[in-house]
Structure formats: structure tokens, C-alpha cells
Amino acid sequence: MMATTHALAGMALAGVTALVAPEYTPIAVSAAGAGGVFPDLDLYGEHRQTLHYPVYYSVGAVAALAVALLAPAVGTVALAAFLGSAALHSVMDAFGGGLELKPWLATSERAVYDHYRERWIRPRRWIRYDGAPEDAALAGALALPTLALSTGRLQTAVYVLLAVSVVYTLVRKPMVHVTERLVDTLPPTVIDRLPARFTEDFTG
Ligand SMILES: [Zn+2]
């Protein structure tokens, strides 16, 4: 799933605060937006491994939630929302596609790394790949509760996330074809210096 879908999912979850402590909803939703994007910052490292912790983020989120309930404050609520959203992201990745450069071909058995069990979780492909039409539809649906709850800059941020989702969905497949052509034109010495993950699918 797209990083934006993850952000919107976490924000929708954080919207639950509106039922119990609405004064904390803006901070919870903002922190959840950041926490939803955060794991994908490992895109150029060991993607879906370095910053993805389906088990540990979840444990941390439960602990942080307990602290936030006992001592509600901007800091504790923000931490609980951030961790909760990062946990949701890491778990949700198991329901998307694999790690391959063309995930619509469904050739990879790696969705997200489980550090606790020291193994890769296989992709369920309910959302076939990041940037699939159903991914954009999910992002749209997840945006609705936050749009209803928020105003001002937070609402603008949701519209920006939606716009990025739509553009990404439109360019997702063409982007790979362009990269493919680009890699074809590169001299072998340059290709050798690129991380294998970016070139192996293209160069065979
Ligand atoms: Zn991810």
C-alpha cells in the first residue's frame, strides 16, 4: 500500500480520540499521519525491514496508549498515536503486495519483515500492489472520517495526501517502464553501482 494510504489509515484510527478526548484529536491525528509514513522512510535501505516492526511497534503502541490514558498530555497522546499508526502500517503491509519492482506480477513472497520471529511475512495481496486502483479507493475511503473531523491545515493535509495518492496511482506502472528504459541505456559500470534491488528485475 502507498505511504499515503498508511498515513490516512492511522489518521482515521486516531480520529477515535474525538469520542473520548476531542481536545487531543488534532495532535493525535497529526502524529498518526507522521507515524503512518515513517516506516516507509526505509525505502532506500532494506525496505519493509529496517523501519517496519509489526510486532514491536504494536507492543510499544499498547504501552504508549496505557500511558496516554493514565497521563493524557500532548506528548503522551502524540507518542501513542505515532506508534499506533506505525504499527498499523507495518501490519497492513502484509495485506498488500510483495517487494518486487513489478508487484503486479506477484512473484515475491516478501511483504514485510517480522523481527520478532526473524522471518518475512508473505503478501496476502488484498490490495494487489502499492498504487493499484483499489489502493487509491482505500485511501479515499479512509480519508472520509478525518475530513469530517478536521478543519484548517489538517484538512488541507488530507487533501494533499489524497492528491498525492491519485497522482502516484496514475504514474505507478508508467514509472517502472520509464525506469526500465533508463536502466537499459546505462553503461554496465553504472548499473553495477546501483543497489541490486533496483536493477535486477530489469537486467534479468
Ligand atoms: Zn511499508
Side-chain angles (χ1 to χ4, degrees), residues 160-182:
V160 170
L161 287 170
L162 279 177
V164 170
S165 304
V166 170
V167 170
Y168 185 84
T169 301
L170 291 175
V171 302
R172 180 61 174 95
K173 282 186 175 178
M175 195 169 65
V176 170
H177 297 308
V178 169
T179 314
E180 229 166 7
R181 279 203 210 123
L182 208 71

Side-chain angles (χ1 to χ4, degrees), residues 97-172:
L99 260 181
E100 62 275 50
L101 277 176
K102 292 179 185 171
W104 46 90
L105 299 180
T107 53
S108 171
E109 280 307 299
R110 294 178 167 196
V112 62
Y113 192 73
D114 177 353
H115 294 261
Y116 177 67
R117 294 178 187 84
E118 296 183 334
R119 62 175 176 81
W120 286 90
I121 299 170
R122 71 179 171 82
R124 300 314 198 264
R125 299 194 168 90
W126 295 354
I127 301 293
R128 289 168 301 150
Y129 58 93
D130 59 293
E134 64 269 28
D135 194 359
L138 180 64
L142 288 168
L144 295 177
T146 314
L147 283 176
L149 277 176
S150 57
T151 53
R153 273 191 291 184
L154 205 51
Q155 203 173 55
T156 309
V158 175
Y159 283 121
V160 170
L161 287 170
L162 279 177
V164 170
S165 304
V166 170
V167 170
Y168 185 84
T169 301
L170 291 175
V171 302
R172 180 61 174 95

